[in-house]
Amino acid sequence: MTAEGRFRGPGGRLRGRASECALLDDLVSAIRRGESRSLVLRGEAGIGKTALLEYLIASAPDATVVRAVGVQSDMELAFASLHQLCGPLLDALERLPAPQRQAMEIVFGLTVGEAPDRFLVGLAVLSLFSEAAEQRPLLCVVDDAQWLDEASALTLAFVARRLLAEPVAIVFAAREPGEELLHVSELEVAGVRNGDARALLSSAVRFKLDERVRDRIIAETRGNPLALLEPHGLDGEAAGGRFGLVEAQGLAGRIEESFVRRVETLSDDARRLLLVAAAEPVAIRCCCWVHPSDSGLRSPPRTRRRTRCSRSESA
């Protein structure tokens, strides 16, 4: 079972996230009533922000969903994240007022012109979201918002503050939101506790843990779900009370290093395939066929892999 699957309890609900899920359910109900909402999920790496975003998306099958993921290497590229989010909605561009349409065409490289005023770009995105929400609620999901480029962050914060009676929700997830998002409603996502934390840890360890060790792991990881589900450095000696998980470095760094070690054990072809996949961080939704040889990867004859390739979701 995957880590995400172990994070889910009976009925598919996320373990230890009853209040957070209830808040997201209310958000979906609000846009179904024609109301607007904006929210920032804040929490450390591995705390479960992305799992909550996936729960939110699954809870809104009747909404149009557009997604973006902040990419650290794109932070110097103006409007890079906005392009991810608005790209699937550009069919509605012709219905915008001329000045707004021209601003968006310049921003997205559809025409040549001087850099448009950012206020005009913000109005254009607001109008674009409103147009997209005419037929069905619109849910905009932005993960890793701490890595948004400044122009995208300012524009989306502008839009989030000015949503009124449109059935539109914008939800960000960030480790530490930038100053641009300080005035957007925020929900701090903390670690899971008690029985939920013990259940997560037990699902990841194949031997019986000494209770003192188990409680210490939960305390030192502060109930971080990913740290509980990926307890690297823990071996069978922990069953007898010897404990070697805790290191001096921060929790986020330890989680990242654990994945680096796992990648290092893969073959060159598998690592290259992961690199190709990582080059497009947005969830892929429409169906297409990709042959590994397209990226220089070797594969058995007649083997094809089905992947998905669009950033917009509609039920």
Side-chain angles (χ1 to χ4, degrees):
M1 184 183 293
T2 64
E4 182 178 349
R6 295 197 299 269
F7 193 18
R8 294 187 178 275
R13 304 282 290 190
L14 297 176
R15 291 186 182 275
R17 295 290 183 235
S19 60
E20 292 88 345
C21 289
L23 179 64
L24 296 179
D25 290 340
D26 288 343
L27 182 146
V28 172
S29 296
I31 61 174
R32 285 174 176 156
R33 295 192 301 267
E35 302 173 8
S36 302
R37 290 290 186 274
S38 59
L39 179 67
V40 176
L41 302 177
R42 181 172 67 86
E44 64 184 357
I47 204 66
K49 302 182 298 297
T50 300
L52 286 168
L53 292 181
E54 294 297 337
Y55 172 86
L56 172 64
I57 292 169
S59 300
D62 54 335
T64 297
V65 180
V66 290
R67 312 178 66 159
V69 179
V71 181
Q72 198 167 10
S73 59
D74 287 354
M75 291 181 69
E76 300 302 319
L77 303 177
F79 300 111
S81 297
L82 194 67
H83 185 268
Q84 290 185 42
L85 198 65
C86 295
L89 306 177
L90 293 184
D91 288 346
L93 205 56
E94 62 184 16
R95 298 195 292 273
L96 301 189
Q100 297 179 22
R101 182 177 67 252
Q102 292 167 5
M104 291 293 281
E105 288 174 345
I106 293 172
V107 163
F108 291 132
L110 301 176
T111 189
V112 178
E114 295 183 2
D117 181 81
R118 288 189 178 179
F119 178 75
L120 196 57
V121 175
L123 288 179
V125 174
L126 182 60
S127 297
L128 193 65
F129 286 178
S130 297
E131 285 289 340
E134 282 291 328
Q135 301 300 321
R136 58 196 303 162
L138 177 66
L139 177 59
C140 305
V141 175
V142 183
D143 204 357
D144 285 330
Q146 72 274 2
W147 291 328
L148 289 176
D149 61 277
E150 183 181 16
S152 294
L154 287 169
T155 301
L156 292 174
F158 172 92
V159 173
R161 292 193 298 269
R162 284 163 176 78
L163 289 171
L164 296 174
E166 301 85 358
V168 178
I170 306 178
V171 182
F172 305 87
R175 298 180 188 180
E176 284 294 335
E179 293 183 0
E180 303 87 354
L181 300 178
L182 289 182
H183 299 291
V184 178
S185 298
E186 181 179 289
L187 172 65
E188 182 172 3
V189 184
V192 295
R193 298 181 178 181
N194 304 326
D196 294 308
R198 291 192 291 272
L200 285 177
L201 182 58
S202 297
S203 72
V205 178
R206 298 182 179 180
F207 48 83
K208 183 175 177 58
L209 280 174
D210 180 271
E211 290 187 5
R212 294 169 299 170
V213 174
R214 181 197 63 195
D215 292 343
R216 183 179 172 187
I217 294 172
I218 292 172
E220 300 218 14
T221 59
R222 301 185 297 278
N224 183 295
L226 186 57
L228 293 171
L229 290 170
E230 302 286 346
H232 290 274
L234 186 65
D235 56 31
E237 293 182 346
R242 294 183 61 182
F243 181 57
L245 176 68
V246 179
E247 301 173 3
Q249 60 185 307
L251 180 61
R254 190 165 72 234
I255 292 173
E256 291 172 358
E257 286 195 2
S258 74
F259 285 109
V260 170
R261 289 195 296 271
R262 292 169 67 176
V263 169
E264 289 173 345
T265 65
L266 300 176
S267 66
D268 290 342
D269 285 348
R271 292 167 68 177
R272 191 177 298 113
L273 184 59
L274 281 177
L275 181 61
V276 171
E280 174 50 85
V282 179
I284 303 182
R285 307 304 289 181
C286 74
C287 297
C288 66
W289 290 101
V290 177
H291 198 288
S293 62
D294 294 341
S295 302
L297 299 172
R298 296 186 299 277
S299 64
R302 301 175 64 108
T303 298
R304 285 183 177 264
R305 179 172 56 89
R306 195 176 186 182
T307 63
R308 302 176 178 251
C309 63
S310 154
R311 298 189 182 96
S312 177
E313 305 171 25
S314 296

